[in-house]
Amino acid sequence: LIRIGVVGTGFIARPHLQALRALPEIWGADVPRIDLSVACDERRAVAEEAARRHGIARVVDDWRRVTGDPEVDAVLVLTPNDLHAPVAIDALRHGKHILCEKPLADTVESAAALCAAARAAGTAAQVAFVYREWPAVRLARALVAAGEIGSPLAFHARFYHDYALDRAHPRSWRFERARAGAGSIGDLGSHLIDLARTFMGEVGAVQARTRTVIPARPGGGVDVDDAADVWLEFAGGATGSLATSWVAAGHKTDIAFEILGEHGSIRFAWQRANELDVVSGDLDAVRSIAIGPAHPGALWPIAGVGLGWADAFVPAARAFVDAAAGRPVSAPTFEDGLAVAEVVAAAIGSSRPLAAEASAASHAATQR
Ligand SMILES: NC(=O)c1ccc[n+]([C@@H]2O[C@H](COP(=O)([O-])OP(=O)(O)OC[C@H]3O[C@@H](n4cnc5c(N)ncnc54)[C@H](O)[C@@H]3O)[C@@H](O)[C@H]2O)c1
């Protein structure tokens, strides 16, 4: 029995807990047995609500009562980014398995400290780069590995949202460098960098321009980017680009990528998340593959029934409990989280943010 504690029961706790609870329904007796033992949030009422919804027996408001609890085997770290390191490192010192939300940490130094703690603990230490195991993404990776499009020459991706386009959207921890580490480039970009690494290998060089389109919000100033454009060069010589934005009008969870190969290409867009477009052989035809049980990672025995966003957390939950039970798994590790954090930091370091006044003026101009 794997006894799980959850630290941080805000927004992202919901799909994680839903996914953990779905495991026996999907895989039956094959999945290690779990117990959702304790919910922790500094806002106790929020933890109590999560406990009610998901059938969690105990509620605490101090995370040390989870990380040091001998009755807990595994901890989900679902707090704001600056708390990932203190919570996860303390839990690792107590020998717990960790599934940590992305980005792994707010700084490269904290990400490196997390890796060191994970190595010392020898327990499972995974990062929730959940899009990596999405069935269409897995199929794309399998096709690239099989040489379907030849050597990849370029990877281009975007992740756009417009949730922060409204100037009245309040400043939360996400808009504070001290809590988040980075803005859209860390929040959304870390997913894309993780995908890029799985398709293309390590990033060798990066150049970026980050912007803060809306530099002040109700509650205070914003000192992270809300949009970024990133150019990549991979160690193997291939190139790439990423664009991230919280202020992309009309875009909602808009993840898309394309891999251009020597003799074909692969295209994915979240708006058609259960399909993959492939060009190979006949360059005049785009094949739309409907994801189903013939492909890796499908959860249902029928093609085309489709998965939704919350299903992306199911493979992560499965890999985590399998690893906690001592089974071999393939899942994003803290080392992956560190590699991504290094790219994000290098991108920010390479950028020359426009002056806040200039950004504000250009925003005002686009509003007229
Ligand atoms: N994988 C994904 O696709 C994805 C999507 C959204 C968020 N996230 C990540 O999940 C994490 C949380 O994001 P969120 O959207 O759920 O934020 P959120 O603000 O909704 O939730 C964070 C929770 O942590 C709690 N908290 C803060 N300080 C605490 C403390 N000292 N002790 C205990 N609890 C504390 C807050 O009260 C809040 O309930 C972030 O790292 C974020 O980047 C990942």
Side-chain angles (χ1 to χ4, degrees):
L1 183 72
I2 297 154
R3 299 162 299 179
I4 295 176
V6 181
V7 179
T9 56
F11 167 69
I12 209 63
R14 191 168 159 191
H16 277 289
L17 289 165
Q18 197 174 309
L20 285 164
R21 291 168 63 211
L23 296 179
E25 289 169 22
I26 298 169
W27 284 290
D30 186 44
V31 77
R33 278 181 55 232
I34 62 166
D35 178 62
L36 298 176
S37 301
V38 52
C40 169
D41 201 289
E42 67 172 0
R43 298 179 296 163
R44 194 180 177 91
V46 169
E48 281 168 354
E49 172 58 19
R52 259 193 303 277
R53 283 191 195 200
H54 300 283
I56 303 172
R58 279 186 299 132
V59 169
V60 298
D61 49 23
D62 177 356
W63 56 261
R64 288 172 191 81
R65 292 187 56 202
V66 179
T67 54
D69 185 344
E71 313 262 286
V72 167
D73 307 304
V75 179
L76 265 56
V77 180
L78 313 180
T79 60
N81 303 343
D82 62 323
L83 274 171
H84 293 180
V87 174
I89 289 173
D90 194 57
L92 286 164
R93 287 195 178 130
H94 286 92
K96 316 294 185 203
H97 304 285
I98 307 290
L99 175 57
C100 184
E101 257 305 343
K102 47 50 60 175
L104 179 57
D106 52 336
T107 63
V108 171
E109 292 70 30
S110 289
L114 278 157
C115 283
R119 274 194 299 272
T123 52
Q126 302 175 354
V127 191
F129 287 129
V130 292
Y131 298 108
R132 198 199 269 204
E133 297 303 306
W134 187 251
V137 173
R138 284 183 66 167
L139 177 60
R141 205 158 39 240
L143 291 173
V144 170
E148 185 77 19
I149 62 168
S151 283
L153 303 174
F155 176 84
H156 299 288
R158 67 158 185 259
F159 196 160
Y160 290 161
H161 261 290
D162 66 4
Y163 81 91
L165 187 61
D166 182 353
R167 288 171 166 270
H169 183 93
R171 174 179 181 263
S172 68
W173 64 265
R174 278 192 167 78
F175 299 89
E176 278 181 69
R177 178 172 295 265
R179 302 222 65 195
S184 76
I185 193 172
D187 184 42
L188 310 177
S190 62
H191 281 296
L192 299 182
I193 295 163
D194 181 64
L195 292 180
R197 291 177 65 248
T198 69
F199 287 119
M200 312 294 289
E202 293 302 332
V203 175
V206 61
Q207 177 76 42
R209 289 289 179 267
T210 59
R211 295 178 310 257
T212 305
V213 177
I214 302 179
R217 295 180 176 278
V222 174
D223 59 358
V224 295
D225 68 280
D226 49 26
D229 298 288
V230 184
W231 291 267
L232 301 170
E233 195 175 315
F234 297 95
T239 56
S241 67
L242 313 174
T244 62
S245 180
W246 290 332
V247 291
H251 293 270
K252 327 280 179 186
T253 312
D254 186 357
I255 310 171
F257 65 77
E258 178 151 17
I259 307 155
L260 304 177
E262 276 177 313
H263 50 75
S265 62
I266 291 177
R267 304 165 201 176
F268 172 82
W270 190 258
Q271 273 60 37
R272 287 168 49 230
N274 293 284
E275 292 171 45
L276 189 69
D277 287 349
V278 179
V279 177
S280 68
D282 177 0
L283 298 188
D284 295 334
V286 180
R287 228 176 347 133
S288 272
I289 301 176
I291 301 297
H295 307 115
L299 297 180
W300 297 101
I302 301 167
V305 292
L307 300 179
W309 175 79
D311 294 309
F313 293 77
V314 170
R318 175 78 205 246
F320 185 52
V321 302
D322 275 351
R327 300 181 185 179
V329 299
S330 145
T333 63
F334 278 19
E335 305 290 338
D336 291 313
L338 172 59
V340 169
E342 285 171 344
V343 177
V344 169
I348 292 171
S350 76
S351 185
R352 203 166 31 86
L354 302 181
E357 309 79 59
S359 289
S362 76
H363 185 73
T366 60
Q367 299 278 298
R368 278 198 290 274

